[in-house]
Amino acid sequence: MINAAIIGASGYTGSECARLLACHPRATLSAITSRTHAGKRFDEMFGHLRGHLDLAFEEFEPAALAERAEIFFCAVPHASAMHIVPQLLAAGKKVIDLSADFRLRDQQTYETWYQPHTAPRLLDQAVYGLPELYGKEIGSAKLVANPGCYPTSAILGLTPALRHGLVDSDGIIIDAKSGISGAGRGVSLAALFAENHGGFQAYKIGGKHRHIPEIEQELSKAAGRNLRVSFTPHLLPVSRGILSTIYAPLNDAISDEQLFDIYQSFYGECYFVRVLPPGRTPSIQHVRGSNFCDIGLAVDRRTNRLIITAAIDNLVKGAAGQAIQNMNLMCGLDESAGLSQVALFP
Amino acid sequence: MINAAIIGASGYTGSECARLLACHPRATLSAITSRTHAGKRFDEMFGHLRGHLDLAFEEFEPAALAERAEIFFCAVPHASAMHIVPQLLAAGKKVIDLSADFRLRDQQTYETWYQPHTAPRLLDQAVYGLPELYGKEIGSAKLVANPGCYPTSAILGLTPALRHGLVDSDGIIIDAKSGISGAGRGVSLAALFAENHGGFQAYKIGGKHRHIPEIEQELSKAAGRNLRVSFTPHLLPVSRGILSTIYAPLNDAISDEQLFDIYQSFYGECYFVRVLPPGRTPSIQHVRGSNFCDIGLAVDRRTNRLIITAAIDNLVKGAAGQAIQNMNLMCGLDESAGLSQVALFP
Amino acid sequence: MINAAIIGASGYTGSECARLLACHPRATLSAITSRTHAGKRFDEMFGHLRGHLDLAFEEFEPAALAERAEIFFCAVPHASAMHIVPQLLAAGKKVIDLSADFRLRDQQTYETWYQPHTAPRLLDQAVYGLPELYGKEIGSAKLVANPGCYPTSAILGLTPALRHGLVDSDGIIIDAKSGISGAGRGVSLAALFAENHGGFQAYKIGGKHRHIPEIEQELSKAAGRNLRVSFTPHLLPVSRGILSTIYAPLNDAISDEQLFDIYQSFYGECYFVRVLPPGRTPSIQHVRGSNFCDIGLAVDRRTNRLIITAAIDNLVKGAAGQAIQNMNLMCGLDESAGLSQVALFP
Amino acid sequence: MINAAIIGASGYTGSECARLLACHPRATLSAITSRTHAGKRFDEMFGHLRGHLDLAFEEFEPAALAERAEIFFCAVPHASAMHIVPQLLAAGKKVIDLSADFRLRDQQTYETWYQPHTAPRLLDQAVYGLPELYGKEIGSAKLVANPGCYPTSAILGLTPALRHGLVDSDGIIIDAKSGISGAGRGVSLAALFAENHGGFQAYKIGGKHRHIPEIEQELSKAAGRNLRVSFTPHLLPVSRGILSTIYAPLNDAISDEQLFDIYQSFYGECYFVRVLPPGRTPSIQHVRGSNFCDIGLAVDRRTNRLIITAAIDNLVKGAAGQAIQNMNLMCGLDESAGLSQVALFP
């Protein structure tokens, strides 16, 4: 059994890693930390795991922790992660970082969108943890930067079209909608139930969301040239789920069947991507709680646009599930070990 | 007092007309019809109106009804409306039709998207009932075609930009999200609670929704040339509300303040359009139950796009409220009579 | 016009008072205060009132405020209210206090359930603001203690049965369910969207909720003897609404029609109580946004119990609406002035 | 591997059996039937199982089906089940019936609450499938009557208290709240999203719900005498989950710790019952998607009542999960095989 630890396990991302590790057949969760809840039992905060996990939160003490686990999930906010990750790597541990701190290859881009980086030399070592694109590199990585939730849906949705040159890389629009757990478990007026129930709105409109450079980094690679996207995130009144509706101008006419074949063959080996047949549309309720990304494809022939819809559970394929998938690859396990959860519907 | 009747009052659109008429200071609801519920009291089906409305559903008998009301809200589905409306007009009555049957000026376009039209000569007489654009014509109309819910948000959101030539009329994308009451009150698997709770999906992707020709008709007028849009509707897990997120390429650089001023001055006289100041974003929970359309404006300078977000309550400004607004104009009342409802938040 | 002010207008209760005053035909909202948001415009925090209310939050300065309003809604938490209310009364103003501070007649009971009371001599002057029971006293009151939300539903539901001796006053069980706005607008983990969506639970089980003494005070009066109730509150995943399901042993057999007649005649003059005919069941969605209390009556003949279900909107009849109703009575207006809102359904 | 088949797999109960069997380590789903959807692929109706289940619905043809499975889940409505189950038993198959047809031991009681029974001789052979109480009998049963969802929560919640004589068996009140999937997947106005979102109501008030005789049958056994309960079901605006709040008069004073110990020891061997420590309260969101029943215990000392709260997922422990648990016992597998799902929170 592989011993794993979670740094920052009291948020939604960290606790979801715990949920998934609790029934992983080849890994054991051996330690969880939380600065603010040290000493408290995990199942007092997360009753759904009662009986599954007999651990209490601890302070983050790298030396002591290093003896108890070989792989670490770092689920603290960006800017904090860049201080913790180097300590774990220095102790010879493998690290999957769920923050944004090691996702961008370019230090300057990072610093433009976030704040100064204190561990920039790790940017080159970190592997972008999207297994469908970087499976091989992840297999030998010491540090994996787990992708953002929005980027996961956008990149999986667009990469085949860009790689095959189906669409004009100018003119891409990503209209994304996320469940509210994406805002994290920190208390805030904006995340209150009564503020959101029956509600819906966009936020950070006009090219302001920090996931933009991450999306552009990966789509530019796929396109073979630097591109820019319009990205508008919205807040759905659900707990979990992201649906990205993506618009891109088609270069040439293409049939639904051709499109399906191209995507199907691109993701042929990828267990966690389900390309839906023509006429089918992904729904977030069909991936809820699972590690799948469902992709739907349609052509608007009146305007010659490709419209891609991509659905994931933001806490699973968009965070913790993808992190487990990365752990599996880094540890030589089957990619889907511990990720057999069927989506919960209804 | 004006006597009004509702044809087809057992659906969400018709019952919402009843809710609004129940407390209208200058109009009285004198008759309601329903083919399937004739004989049943209204408040047995709609407990929220208990004590407000002492009426039972009747069969549609035009001659008898004509004596009891001077203005009619026709809230039956398209294809049915085209049979009912001519009878009411022939009896000398004013009609506000909430179906799609008289919204399109061009018979052929109608028949391409719907089915054969049996009363095509009325297409020219009908006034498109968007008071912010056609207030004067509505004032003297006998037949008003109440706009669709999606079109209301899209047209109000885009018209000022098109009229002022701010955006390229090619390249408009409307990503719209609607609450489930928009699907009507007919029973269907797709409208069940458990199918939608916690869920979200797009539908009729790829230029297939019947509101497209209506949107294009009005936006083409605003642009002064024929244009086409990409329009993707989505199903939000809420009862009420539409948010349209609209993308259009900017012709020239423009500041947030200039944008705001143009929209503010365009809608200066329009009580029911609230142009939000720069930095503010509309939310469907801030228009819920009210007749307002909230419009937010942002520029994505990285990609030179205008991003407009427009929020309405699909049953009020998107249907019944707009119909009352039209009635007010057709009857010489204050445009906002009976429409003073403040949005219900939280 | 009556000038009214709201002390503590940034919470859900205070802002709901503002919503209702914004369209009150005989009263004007002249000032709003908030300790934490002084200086901020109201519609920046509450976008649904944009265009309806042109006020900014102020500090609470009793002398200055006293000149600008004749009646005050005090919507600050208990323990704070007992400091503010005496100052307003001393300035000769009428006060409707929405906290618990003046609801209990017995100081010792108050101090057992809350904390020491600093203005105990006002307990005798305060009138319990349930207009259906104390309309006359409210008419001449200077200080009205606006009832709690749970007590409003329980007391309206049970009083006729107790007054008529239909039920054994031992053995009353009140199983109450409230929307999450009842927890207020303060940020807390327990009130987050993702903690509650799709969820449901009881809280303060076992006779611990502070509304118990208030319920018992009023039900004891109705019964003519001291009684105790079992009261269990639950948290519904909705924004608004309370449904109380109340069980009481019947003293004698009674038909559904007799029950209905007794309740109907008890509430005959009360516009805001709708006693539903036999076989009808109240729903919170049928009172949402309105000041109605819907009451349903059923007999379980197998166990000889009366089962009363009472539905209100916790922010309207359970708080702000009832406060306006009290204001109307205190100011000699029609009881329902400004409270004509029809419930918002769906 | 055990081959299992589902009769009636297009409803929520049947499809949930499919979800659980799809990842069962020791059983294979070999056939599914549906009268109305025969010929259609399962994953066209249930997209969440795409990739997990490569089956299409078939007609129910007992002879052919009997060769393809050794155990059958019968998930058709009551009255239909009594015709299907005998055919499967006659073919020598084991059957778990999820309808009400074989739950009641007494034919007359069944016929009073339902309709005439066409297979009454099976009533004695059927074992009531609550493994925590009848594990041994289930192990050797040919026909297991899977309990109703409400009864599961009520019986698990009350049995220890009744067996130990802690409470007076007169005076039990069960106030139960269920998610809307409990109403099934049949289309009806009452189950529409917009009718229920933001709503809440009781139904079948006054001793009318068909689960009452089932609850009374099992609680009477536990009490050792015939008892009657007051049972009021409510409709929660969530997809999944039941919380029953149960009130029972205590015979003698008892501490929270004593209560906990009694329940804990009663359910000591029962993996799927989690007795929460004093002060903890069950939530439906902590059992969602899992086969657990969480039980909370509190004493209301002011009124000397025991208040039990019991939470389950109505589709899992209340239906399909319990059915799999029964299958495991009937087939000599580990009771929890294939039921390792951790609850999905948030």
Short mmCIF file of all heavy atoms in Angstrom, two decimals, chain A residues 5-20:
data_model
loop_
_atom_site.label_atom_id
_atom_site.label_comp_id
_atom_site.label_asym_id
_atom_site.label_seq_id
_atom_site.Cartn_x
_atom_site.Cartn_y
_atom_site.Cartn_z
N ALA A 5 -0.54 11.53 2.14
CA ALA A 5 -0.96 12.54 3.12
C ALA A 5 -1.57 13.72 2.38
O ALA A 5 -1.23 13.98 1.22
CB ALA A 5 0.23 12.99 3.96
N ILE A 6 -2.47 14.40 3.06
CA ILE A 6 -3.10 15.59 2.47
C ILE A 6 -2.74 16.81 3.32
O ILE A 6 -3.02 16.84 4.52
CB ILE A 6 -4.64 15.44 2.43
CG1 ILE A 6 -5.05 14.20 1.64
CG2 ILE A 6 -5.28 16.70 1.84
CD1 ILE A 6 -6.53 13.83 1.80
N ILE A 7 -2.14 17.78 2.69
CA ILE A 7 -1.83 19.04 3.37
C ILE A 7 -2.98 19.99 3.08
O ILE A 7 -3.20 20.39 1.94
CB ILE A 7 -0.49 19.64 2.86
CG1 ILE A 7 0.61 18.59 2.87
CG2 ILE A 7 -0.12 20.87 3.67
CD1 ILE A 7 0.86 17.94 4.20
N GLY A 8 -3.70 20.35 4.13
CA GLY A 8 -4.85 21.24 3.93
C GLY A 8 -6.10 20.45 3.60
O GLY A 8 -6.65 20.56 2.49
N ALA A 9 -6.56 19.64 4.56
CA ALA A 9 -7.63 18.70 4.25
C ALA A 9 -8.99 19.17 4.72
O ALA A 9 -9.95 18.42 4.68
CB ALA A 9 -7.31 17.33 4.86
N SER A 10 -9.10 20.42 5.14
CA SER A 10 -10.40 20.86 5.67
C SER A 10 -11.23 21.63 4.65
O SER A 10 -12.34 22.03 4.94
CB SER A 10 -10.18 21.71 6.92
OG SER A 10 -9.51 22.91 6.58
N GLY A 11 -10.69 21.84 3.47
CA GLY A 11 -11.47 22.48 2.41
C GLY A 11 -12.18 21.43 1.58
O GLY A 11 -12.06 20.23 1.83
N TYR A 12 -12.92 21.90 0.58
CA TYR A 12 -13.65 20.94 -0.25
C TYR A 12 -12.71 20.09 -1.11
O TYR A 12 -12.97 18.93 -1.37
CB TYR A 12 -14.67 21.66 -1.14
CG TYR A 12 -15.85 22.20 -0.38
CD1 TYR A 12 -16.31 23.49 -0.60
CD2 TYR A 12 -16.51 21.42 0.57
CE1 TYR A 12 -17.41 23.99 0.10
CE2 TYR A 12 -17.60 21.92 1.27
CZ TYR A 12 -18.05 23.19 1.03
OH TYR A 12 -19.13 23.68 1.72
N THR A 13 -11.63 20.68 -1.56
CA THR A 13 -10.70 19.94 -2.40
C THR A 13 -9.96 18.89 -1.59
O THR A 13 -9.86 17.72 -1.98
CB THR A 13 -9.70 20.92 -3.06
OG1 THR A 13 -10.43 21.87 -3.83
CG2 THR A 13 -8.74 20.18 -3.96
N GLY A 14 -9.48 19.30 -0.45
CA GLY A 14 -8.75 18.37 0.41
C GLY A 14 -9.64 17.25 0.93
O GLY A 14 -9.25 16.08 0.96
N SER A 15 -10.86 17.60 1.34
CA SER A 15 -11.74 16.57 1.89
C SER A 15 -12.19 15.61 0.80
O SER A 15 -12.46 14.44 1.06
CB SER A 15 -12.94 17.19 2.59
OG SER A 15 -13.76 17.89 1.68
N GLU A 16 -12.25 16.11 -0.44
CA GLU A 16 -12.61 15.22 -1.54
C GLU A 16 -11.46 14.24 -1.84
O GLU A 16 -11.72 13.07 -2.16
CB GLU A 16 -12.95 16.06 -2.79
CG GLU A 16 -13.48 15.26 -3.96
CD GLU A 16 -14.92 14.77 -3.78
OE1 GLU A 16 -15.49 14.91 -2.68
OE2 GLU A 16 -15.46 14.23 -4.76
N CYS A 17 -10.23 14.71 -1.71
CA CYS A 17 -9.10 13.77 -1.81
C CYS A 17 -9.26 12.68 -0.74
O CYS A 17 -9.03 11.49 -1.00
CB CYS A 17 -7.77 14.50 -1.59
SG CYS A 17 -7.25 15.57 -2.95
N ALA A 18 -9.65 13.10 0.47
CA ALA A 18 -9.83 12.12 1.55
C ALA A 18 -10.93 11.13 1.21
O ALA A 18 -10.80 9.92 1.43
CB ALA A 18 -10.15 12.85 2.86
N ARG A 19 -12.06 11.64 0.68
CA ARG A 19 -13.17 10.75 0.29
C ARG A 19 -12.69 9.69 -0.69
O ARG A 19 -13.04 8.50 -0.58
CB ARG A 19 -14.32 11.55 -0.34
CG ARG A 19 -15.51 10.71 -0.78
CD ARG A 19 -16.64 11.54 -1.37
NE ARG A 19 -16.46 11.90 -2.75
CZ ARG A 19 -16.87 11.19 -3.82
NH1 ARG A 19 -17.50 10.05 -3.64
NH2 ARG A 19 -16.64 11.61 -5.04
N LEU A 20 -11.88 10.11 -1.66
CA LEU A 20 -11.44 9.17 -2.69
C LEU A 20 -10.38 8.21 -2.17
O LEU A 20 -10.37 7.03 -2.51
CB LEU A 20 -10.94 9.95 -3.91
CG LEU A 20 -12.03 10.77 -4.63
CD1 LEU A 20 -11.42 11.68 -5.68
CD2 LEU A 20 -13.08 9.85 -5.26
#
